Amino acid sequence: MEFPFDINQLFPERVSVLDQALVAGRKSAGRPDLQAHIATVIDELGRASAKAQQLTASITSASKLQSQRHEVYLLKDGERNGGRGVVVGFLKVGYKKLFLLDRQGVHIEAEPLCVLDFYIAENLQRHGYGLELFDFMLQHKNLKPVLMAYDRPSPKFLSFLAKQYCLTQSVPQVNNFVVFEGFFLNRSVPKSFVSPNSPRLASLPSDGSGDVQLFIATTCRTPQTPTDNLTEEYLPDS
């Protein structure tokens, strides 16, 4: 996505993390002109995401980001557009207090990190950008994707999660959020990360002591470094 101003001036890093302050690096701090450009970028991304999801209104905007305790991870390609850079896409996350049902129908109150919006520009899809951005967020938060909740994920996004992170067994909820089997498993065994359907599980200590180590199937990938050049088969449109 191109803009009539220098993206590299606004966003010095390949991935910028934006919050209520609408500041990306030292240059934009205390610069109302640069912050206005950042707001324009966020608004345009939010509109593009809403259009891709066929929503009647944007769920991401600069004003909403300033009034909510959410974070936007913004990915750029600094070499495109004659060296002025383009915005590739964004990922918005935030903590939400949710009332969830586990597989047994037990109500559980939790406040997980949630994926609230996820968009990669249409002309830049299928180049691994979505995977790069998502992996960056996971490393920044030091979090496994199974421990997150997903707000109204599209079929493409669900395919992305299944292929890249082996998240396939969702637990039906009465709200718009999707969580997976491992979410509840990790609530009872905090240091584990595994789907109950995983074909390989390490033996658990009979006395319950020590650090429990569970291993996922070898077909599942683990988050890579943001600089890895990976190609994704499925790209999220939300």
Side-chain angles (χ1 to χ4, degrees):
M1 185 177 289
E2 297 183 1
F3 290 88
F5 39 78
D6 193 339
I7 290 299
N8 290 321
Q9 183 184 23
L10 291 181
F11 308 106
E13 304 297 332
R14 182 170 174 83
V15 179
S16 298
V17 185
L18 303 169
D19 57 15
Q20 295 170 309
L22 297 186
V23 172
R26 295 180 180 178
K27 286 186 178 180
S28 56
R31 289 281 303 274
D33 56 331
L34 296 184
Q35 288 179 305
H37 286 332
I38 292 175
T40 297
V41 170
I42 295 174
D43 288 343
E44 287 298 319
L45 286 170
R47 280 191 283 268
S49 178
K51 182 179 179 181
Q53 299 178 74
Q54 299 182 336
L55 302 177
T56 57
S58 301
I59 57 177
T60 298
S61 67
S63 61
K64 289 179 180 179
L65 185 61
Q66 288 177 302
S67 63
Q68 299 168 337
R69 301 187 65 179
H70 297 157
E71 289 180 314
V72 166
Y73 291 80
L74 185 145
L75 174 64
K76 73 167 186 178
D77 185 335
E79 298 180 359
R80 292 177 181 261
N81 193 22
R84 292 165 60 87
V86 299
V87 176
V88 173
F90 77 100
L91 170 63
K92 184 172 76 171
V93 300
Y95 290 94
K96 293 278 189 179
K97 183 174 290 187
L98 303 176
F99 293 91
L100 303 170
L101 297 174
D102 66 11
R103 184 62 75 182
Q104 287 70 45
V106 176
H107 287 268
I108 294 177
E109 182 179 352
E111 193 170 0
L113 186 68
C114 303
V115 174
L116 305 173
D117 207 356
F118 193 11
Y119 172 75
I120 301 296
E122 283 81 358
N123 64 320
L124 296 174
Q125 292 184 7
R126 299 187 179 278
H127 290 81
Y129 289 123
L131 181 60
E132 177 183 351
L133 184 56
F134 206 89
D135 272 354
F136 184 97
M137 179 275 297
L138 293 175
Q139 292 179 44
H140 184 256
K141 292 297 187 182
N142 190 27
L143 192 65
K144 298 292 187 181
V146 74
L147 296 179
M148 302 181 69
Y150 301 85
D151 187 10
R152 292 172 293 185
S154 68
K156 281 187 178 181
F157 190 16
L158 291 173
S159 295
F160 170 84
L161 293 171
K163 179 178 185 291
Q164 303 298 349
Y165 305 108
C166 291
L167 298 181
T168 58
Q169 301 296 321
S170 63
V171 181
Q173 302 298 320
V174 296
N175 51 33
N176 293 324
F177 285 86
V178 170
V179 294
F180 295 90
E181 290 275 7
F183 180 91
F184 300 102
L185 178 66
N186 278 273
R187 290 185 64 81
S188 58
V189 187
K191 294 187 178 181
S192 67
F193 171 51
V194 68
S195 166
N197 295 327
S198 175
R200 292 205 312 164
L201 296 178
S203 60
L204 304 180
S206 58
D207 60 357
S209 63
D211 292 339
V212 178
Q213 296 294 329
L214 301 179
F215 297 91
I216 59 176
T218 55
T219 54
C220 300
R221 63 175 293 281
T222 54
Q224 304 296 314
T225 60
T227 55
D228 285 346
N229 184 17
L230 298 173
T231 301
E232 57 197 340
E233 181 179 349
Y234 301 99
L235 276 168
D237 57 7
S238 62

